[in-house]
Amino acid sequence: IVAKTPHDEL
Amino acid sequence: MNIFRLTGDLSHLAAIIILLLKIWKTRSCAGISGKSQLLFALVFTTRYLDLFTSFISLYNTSMKLIYVACSYATVYLIYMKFKATYDGNHDTFRVEFLVVPVGGLSFLVNHDFSPLEILWTFSIYLESVAILPQLFMISKTGEAETITTHYLFFLGLYRALYLINWIWRYYFEGFFDLIAVVAGVVQTILYCDFFYLYVTKVLKGKKLSLPA
């Protein structure tokens, strides 16, 4: 899984 | 959510609150780089625009709101309420040397060429170097108040814990975000020299002062 919007981290 | 991510967030929160309380209790922002704080306010503003577009959790939303509110409060205290105590003569880092290249890079290297994603990328890159004006100020004056070093310690610890969080997420969730990881590594490396001084001096009860 590559991160993209929406990002779940702060 | 794993323990490293949670303690990372709490460490970040601790840093922000320590700084706010230090300024509020001493009625002074001496030794604090207003430029770094302006950059952090810009970091939070550009990263958390997704507050308007997506909901992740109550925890996520409330932490974002707290970070944004605290960073604006800090900037207000430095540039308005306690402006007279702001040491602008020593806060001379040229922030355009950070903002311009970081802005260019976020257009070139991002996950998706959309406005929100580019702003998120910009905030990630900018956060990794936003502490430089503060570190520059300390290297210029050659010293830092102990409370300021606690602030910097928790701020650095936050990103270091996030690195462990990313290793954890990679193994257990298959999650991997190259942009965040590279920026996070850069950000953590910038604190290494400071961590060394913090452990060898501040934790032994000495003031953080650099050799002339």
Side-chain angles (χ1 to χ4, degrees):
Chain A
I1 311 162
V2 172
K4 225 167 126 182
T5 319
H7 301 276
D8 65 342
E9 291 180 342
L10 293 169
Chain B
M1 173 75 80
N2 57 64
I3 189 70
F4 303 108
R5 158 77 199 283
L6 181 64
T7 45
D9 286 346
L10 294 177
S11 164
H12 197 182
L13 186 63
I16 293 170
I17 304 265
I18 285 171
L19 183 62
L20 260 181
L21 280 180
K22 171 214 145 48
I23 298 175
W24 187 255
K25 295 272 179 191
T26 62
R27 322 295 287 173
S28 160
C29 54
I32 301 300
S33 164
K35 290 185 175 179
S36 275
Q37 296 310 314
L38 269 179
L39 291 180
F40 282 125
L42 184 60
V43 162
F44 290 133
T45 308
T46 50
R47 186 175 308 168
Y48 297 155
L49 286 172
D50 64 355
L51 276 170
F52 297 105
T53 60
S54 53
F55 179 81
I56 298 190
S57 65
L58 189 60
Y59 170 82
N60 192 280
T61 302
S62 13
M63 289 298 262
K64 283 175 176 172
L65 290 175
I66 294 171
Y67 286 174
V68 172
C70 287
S71 75
Y72 277 91
T74 306
V75 167
Y76 165 75
L77 291 184
I78 296 174
Y79 285 100
M80 313 271 281
K81 195 165 175 63
F82 301 126
K83 192 181 187 355
T85 64
Y86 168 54
D87 198 3
N89 288 338
H90 287 124
D91 194 12
T92 50
F93 194 94
R94 300 279 297 271
V95 285
E96 59 271 34
F97 291 159
L98 297 179
V99 175
V100 173
V102 157
L105 190 63
S106 55
F107 268 90
L108 294 173
V109 184
N110 52 55
H111 292 312
D112 182 28
F113 202 77
S114 66
L116 220 57
E117 187 65 23
I118 290 171
L119 285 169
W120 177 86
T121 312
F122 171 79
S123 83
I124 291 288
Y125 293 152
L126 185 61
E127 184 191 346
S128 69
V129 292
I131 201 60
L132 284 176
Q134 179 66 61
L135 295 177
F136 181 69
M137 194 171 176
I138 291 175
S139 72
K140 236 187 145 191
T141 60
E143 58 177 21
E145 282 177 55
T146 299
I147 188 74
T148 307
T149 67
H150 296 327
Y151 160 73
L152 282 169
F153 172 75
F154 281 105
L155 202 57
L157 179 65
Y158 138 68
R159 225 37 176 176
L161 286 165
Y162 255 70
L163 292 184
I164 307 173
N165 156 60
W166 288 323
I167 295 171
W168 180 282
R169 291 190 74 177
Y170 178 75
Y171 277 107
F172 295 104
E173 298 169 28
F175 170 94
F176 181 62
D177 186 335
L178 187 62
I179 287 178
V181 170
V182 172
V185 168
V186 169
Q187 188 171 344
T188 309
I189 289 174
L190 291 182
Y191 286 86
C192 283
D193 185 40
F194 165 78
F195 280 148
Y196 174 77
L197 291 172
Y198 187 78
V199 172
T200 56
K201 288 200 169 184
V202 182
L203 290 184
K204 289 180 181 158
K206 287 181 246 167
K207 193 175 154 71
L208 191 140
S209 54
L210 305 172

